[in-house]
């Protein structure tokens, strides 16, 4: 009788604590540009709107508060998935973010893949180009022969970062029907100006610059200044980014349990 009563009491208790999904920690790089913090904060709100009931927190690698380490420390003991608001593999994804996850020993953590490459980013890049003046409809044959795009990215010494950016450039080229050349604001070549000149040497005299940055900042500003014509805005709070962040979160959770340790980088 006592066992039956106890079982009945337990079955009537809410399962909220036992079924609560892991927290999503969005990991931004950080910037001295005040627009960057405002942008990623708004993106966090959009993610919360798309997944009500999910705990969503923001942490920065540097330059802005809250820092990632402080965000993780403030979370209660439990589970968390760290989703990099970064567009390619590199030092931050491979070392800094997993290191912060390891230091949060009160959490069972997973580290999701960076956002890029992914077709949702191409949707956002295309929309930002159209907003800046790129034709919304498919280009004519003559326009395709003269057009080109420079995909301006932050840059990294990691060759996998360049491979990821190159993959996005290929996807965008298929969407637009013109060559798309990756260029970098730091740590890699070519820079935006060199890429623009290379396209011009091929007869591509109508060149736009697509900003492959998640938020405003120095690199985005410098890249736009090197554009000979259309200069698109950063990806910012485009709806595709919130969807992609949740997609990376879900993919990290879907990884077989036997495949992870305390944290896991997922493709």
């Amino acid at each position: 009788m006592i066992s039956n009563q106890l079982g009945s009491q337990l079955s009537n208790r809410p399962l909220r604590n036992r079924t609560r999904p892991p927290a999503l920690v969005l990991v931004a790089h950080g910037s001295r540009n005040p627009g960057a913090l405002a942008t990623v904060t708004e993106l966090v709100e959009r993610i919360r709107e798309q997944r009500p009931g999910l705990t969503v927190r923001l942490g920065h690698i540097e330059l802005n508060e809250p820092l990632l380490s402080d965000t993780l420390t403030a979370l209660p003991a439990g589970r968390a998935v760290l989703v990099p608001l970064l567009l390619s593999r590199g030092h931050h994804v491979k070392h800094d973010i997993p290191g912060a996850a390891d230091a949060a020993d009160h959490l069972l953590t997973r580290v999701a893949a960076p956002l890029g490459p992914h077709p949702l980013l191409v949707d956002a890049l295309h929309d930002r180009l159209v907003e800046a003046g790129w034709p919304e409809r498919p280009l004519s044959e003559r326009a395709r022969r003269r057009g080109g795009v420079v995909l301006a990215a932050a840059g990294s010494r990691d060759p996998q970062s360049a491979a990821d950016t190159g993959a996005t450039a290929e996807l965008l080229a298929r969407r637009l029907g013109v060559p798309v050349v990756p260029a970098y604001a730091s740590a890699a070549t070519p820079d935006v100006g060199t890429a623009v000149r290379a396209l011009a040497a091929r007869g591509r005299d109508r060149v736009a610059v697509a900003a492959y940055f998640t938020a405003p900042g120095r690199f985005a500003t410098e890249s736009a200044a090197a554009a000979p014509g259309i200069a698109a805005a950063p990806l910012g709070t485009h709806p595709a980014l919130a969807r992609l962040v949740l997609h990376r979160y879900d993919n990290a959770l879907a990884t077989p349990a036997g495949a992870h340790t305390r944290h896991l980088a997922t493709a």
Side-chain angles (χ1 to χ4, degrees):
M1 182 179 299
I2 294 176
S3 298
N4 290 340
Q5 290 175 346
L6 180 60
S8 176
Q9 291 171 2
L10 290 174
S11 64
N12 290 330
R13 290 180 181 176
L15 299 177
R16 189 175 305 164
N17 292 336
R18 283 181 282 171
T19 60
R20 191 175 189 84
L24 189 163
V25 179
L26 186 68
V27 186
H29 182 277
S31 171
R32 292 184 176 88
N33 186 315
L37 179 58
T39 297
V40 296
T41 300
E42 183 178 344
L43 181 60
V44 166
E45 292 305 316
R46 294 199 173 195
I47 294 167
R48 288 172 176 156
E49 290 171 1
Q50 291 195 21
R51 191 71 62 89
L54 177 64
T55 297
V56 183
R57 296 290 183 266
L58 173 65
H60 294 89
I61 296 170
E62 59 182 0
L63 299 176
N64 286 123
E65 294 181 350
L67 292 173
L68 175 58
S69 57
D70 295 333
T71 296
L72 295 177
T73 298
L75 285 173
R79 299 179 296 158
V81 176
L82 282 62
V83 181
L85 189 61
L86 301 170
L87 298 170
S88 63
R89 292 168 289 180
H91 186 81
H92 293 315
V93 171
K94 295 179 179 180
H95 300 284
D96 293 339
I97 298 175
D102 277 340
D105 54 12
H106 65 298
L107 296 171
L108 180 64
T109 57
R110 298 190 182 196
V111 179
L115 300 187
H118 194 277
L120 282 171
L121 291 174
V122 176
D123 292 343
L125 287 165
H126 176 261
D127 287 351
R128 292 296 187 234
L129 282 167
V130 169
E131 291 167 2
W134 186 271
E136 186 171 3
R137 295 182 178 180
L139 299 178
S140 66
E141 182 61 33
R142 183 172 181 273
R144 283 200 299 271
R145 288 196 301 267
R146 299 182 62 184
V149 170
V150 173
L151 182 65
S156 169
R157 294 182 179 86
D158 190 319
Q160 288 186 320
S161 176
D164 290 343
T165 304
T168 298
E170 291 178 7
L171 291 172
L172 184 59
R174 292 177 200 165
R175 171 71 68 88
L176 299 176
V178 299
V180 177
V181 178
Y184 305 97
S186 70
T189 56
D191 60 23
V192 173
T194 301
V196 169
R197 290 189 292 273
L199 283 168
R202 295 161 54 184
R204 305 281 174 171
D205 58 356
R206 294 188 176 178
V207 176
V209 172
Y212 199 40
F213 305 102
T214 55
R218 179 169 63 89
F219 289 162
T221 300
E222 292 175 353
S223 298
I230 293 172
L235 301 170
T237 57
H238 190 283
L241 260 69
R243 291 171 55 198
L244 183 52
V245 167
L246 289 168
H247 174 71
R248 292 304 193 205
Y249 170 87
D250 292 337
N251 274 2
L253 289 180
T255 302
H260 73 275
T261 54
R262 281 202 66 252
H263 64 78
L264 171 71
T266 57

